[in-house]
Amino acid sequence: MRYLPNSPGDRTRMLNEIGLKSIEELFNQIPEELRLKRPLQVPGPFSEQEILEFFREAAKESSHEYVSLLGAGVYQHYRPVIIDVLLSRGEFLTAYTPYQAELAQGTLQALFEFQTLITQLTGMEVANASLYDGSTATNEAVLMAMRVTRRERVVLARTLHPEYREVIRTYLQNLGVKQVEVPYAPSGQIDLAQLESNLDHETAALVIQSPNFFGSIERVREIAAMTRKCGALLIVAVPEPLSLALVKEPSEADIVCGEAQSFGVPVAFGGPFAGFLATREKFVRQIPGRLVGQTVDSEGRRGFVLTLVTREQFIRREKATSNICTSQSLCALAATIYLCLLGKQGLKRLAEHNLAKTHYAAKVLASVAGFEIPFTAPYFNEFVIKTPDHAVDLLETLREGKIIGGLELERFYPELKNHLLLCVTEVVRKADIDRMAEVYRRFGSHSRTQVTEGELQAAPAGEKD
Amino acid sequence: MTRNEGLIFERSSPGKTGMELSALDVPPVSAKELLGEEFYRSEIQGFPEVSELEVVRHFTRLSTWNYGIDTGLYPLGSCTMKYNPRVNETVAALEGLATDHPYTPESLAQGCLKVLAQTARCLIEITGMDAISLQPAAGAQGELTGLLMMRAYHKDRNEQRRYILVPDSAHGTNPASVTIAGYEARNLKSNDRGCVGLEELGRAMTEEVAGLMLTNPNTLGIFEDQIQEIARRVHAKGGLVYMDGANMNALVGVARPGEFGVDVMHLNLHKTFSTPHGGGGPGSGPVAVKKILEPFLPAPIIEEDAEGFYRVNHDRPKSIGRVRAFYGNFGMAVRALAYILAYGPQGLRQVTEDAVLNANYVLAKLRSAYELAYDAPAMHECVFSDRRQAQHGVRTGDIAKRLIDYGFHPYTVSFPLIVSGAMMIEPTESASKAELDAFIDAMLSIAREVEEDPQIVTSAPHTTRVTRLDEATAARKPVLRWKP
């Protein structure tokens, strides 16, 4: 087998040297009746060529020829080729967690740079070296807030990503923690009056998302003031951190967490991604996950190590701040490379492009009779549109023209029937939006007719840039 | 030159960029107007500004300060640092698999759903369990998921149980996960063979105990050969058996936990199934269960209907809920499946045989110079103690650092905790005899140095870009980000 370096002769020599007669003897420790007497029933062996063929076949049954306006926590952004070129270096790809610092200065320094970039983006003082993803990072932020405040009540905005809320619910279900959900206002933002009446002196944390699940930007400063009054921590989740290049950083928050997938990590059907968590210096010993710190070697040279490890499970066991053992180093590295490439100006320009395209789409689509934008708050690259009739038919018709026209909100918000969540990043072209508007017009309140297939195919989806 | 690569922020100067955008094809907007003064941000202070070439050189230079499996032998015990086949990276990056959004309508995501379903099917066959969830993002999250399911199972039977038994040789994540699941961990002392003793278990296993978390082979690399009796006794008191599958590389194709009496277990795709560790993640920690626990699996699950169409089933009333958004680390499932397909049934067994043979070879060759923690045949890894070397003032951590000078990545240091000065060696199937011989020579040579010139060992490494780093200062006065 091509991956195995020992020859049959090597194996025999090794067996001889350790005084065994057969391979089977190696497994004498396992009781006879527990040993598997038949080959596993799995496919293979496949040559490399067969593996490629197998997965290429699977990859065909996908949406890769479609223009997609799906966002909702996972964002399709252009990925510069340099990212994969650098990630494919075996020294990064095939290294373990950097416990042996002298052999892992590359990973450690890159993660130190990641931590720095996250603090700059979020306006926080410290950031960890990444967590599994945005949903678990938000959950870890909640657990952290409970440790800091020693309180056991959590208030969640209904506009926090529904799957993030589900994860938090799963983690808190056996810890006797009270959970309260605060509805949204007609603006699409959290209802401030409702919020005020739901915060009390038992509240450990309020969790909001900004831009929230509807794309609306939250009034972090006001919310922070309300939260502070009752001694709770404010957690702001940011699943689309590209927004932070144009939208004021939530520096009034106590913890800012989110998802770094937007920064050069493939969409990959939902993972692997890289969650981030940033906070104030005074909470540093309650941070979950890995932290990289700067230090010096015995000759005074700058170097980096994993630090404050006494928070962690391998030292503290059942008293650890978290059970998390890994970060998502490789994805965090992708994000670091991406952010360095774009840099201060590039990231801002990219955010401006997202903003321009999104507002163009909103204007063009909502100008079709019967369609409207129900929420009034400012938004970045996502917005909600209300359709006049069955949204599901509209989406199906768009699909015939190779467009995935957004997410039906009814799936998560039963009260939002016929509401779609649309995300317009730089990979969506004006021509695609105009083509959508064409279909929208067919579904508009005054001219509902069938769209012919010919009309849609006249403008096929092009290559994404 | 490459020894002096500064931080990227130190290369920055205003006006540089490493990426340009396509021309904007819609009318430009004023962000300040659209967002309003309240929300508009004018700049990200301190953000780097560098060119593409500078980025390439920066990270290429950093990479040369790392050691990976591609560089050489990586005998890090309990981490299963095996070869990460490159074709797996290629297939995970295929357009369609790397580009489908998790909310893509089912009918357009059949390829991704099929990969998940086929990976699940293979892992069920390999473990001998009945059902599986690929949602947990890593081993520790798999542990937590399993524990939450145990909890849901007892709750469903109107039982309240408080404790989980955890052997003292367990990974630290085990007791940490127990706490997060709302249980209390009860330490189970290993017997003189380094295993779970039936007497100790008998004393600890009461009807207040929800179950036992067991690693098998355990962290000493020893197979818990009383596993059936252990499981019988746990079950007799209404408890469940959780198996930490971190060491599955010793078992694939040879024995199946589903036949040991295990009720729930997790796998580490980044260990047994070759997905790259990436400098500390991403991992993936699927959780496999027996029928009795299936209703409690995280939602959603993927099902295949009679026509071969894959559906996502969210209707799981008894599910513990989600542990992570979307479908978990899908990209890791792609790689794991590619690994399984490459080997096939015989190949997977051959992997296990080679991994176990390699560990026993190292054990046999080093036992004259280093003291075995427990004198038992090894499975996929072996654990020595530094007791002999400690008499010369040299500890396991020193020997590990000295190995670096010989060109090897160190073994796992000071784990498991029940062994004084543990040196945990897992060569995996990816080490050739020739490499192992060189490693063994290095270890024997270091053992001689310890007796003749211990200072050269205690001051190692001597060949790396930096010498030993001051971890105490790093922790006392944390510097966790660059400041101008």
Side-chain angles (χ1 to χ4, degrees), chain A residues 295-303, chain B residues 465-470:
Chain A
T295 187
V296 289
D297 73 0
S298 54
E299 288 164 44
R301 286 175 295 215
R302 176 167 66 184
Chain B
R465 183 186 153 263
V466 289
T467 56
R468 280 197 207 191
L469 291 152
D470 184 352

Side-chain angles (χ1 to χ4, degrees), chain B residues 304-323:
Chain B
E304 186 181 359
D305 71 14
E307 279 85 55
F309 187 83
Y310 295 94
R311 279 180 206 291
V312 183
N313 182 355
H314 292 271
D315 184 22
R316 306 274 301 167
K318 288 192 175 178
S319 164
I320 57 159
R322 274 185 179 283
V323 293

Side-chain angles (χ1 to χ4, degrees), chain B residues 38 49 149 163 167 172 266 271 276 278 310 343 351 425 444-445:
Chain B
E38 186 188 353
E49 293 178 81
M149 291 170 69
Y163 303 104
H266 80 266
K271 294 181 182 178
Y310 295 94
Y343 277 111
V351 165
I425 304 171
L444 296 176
S445 169

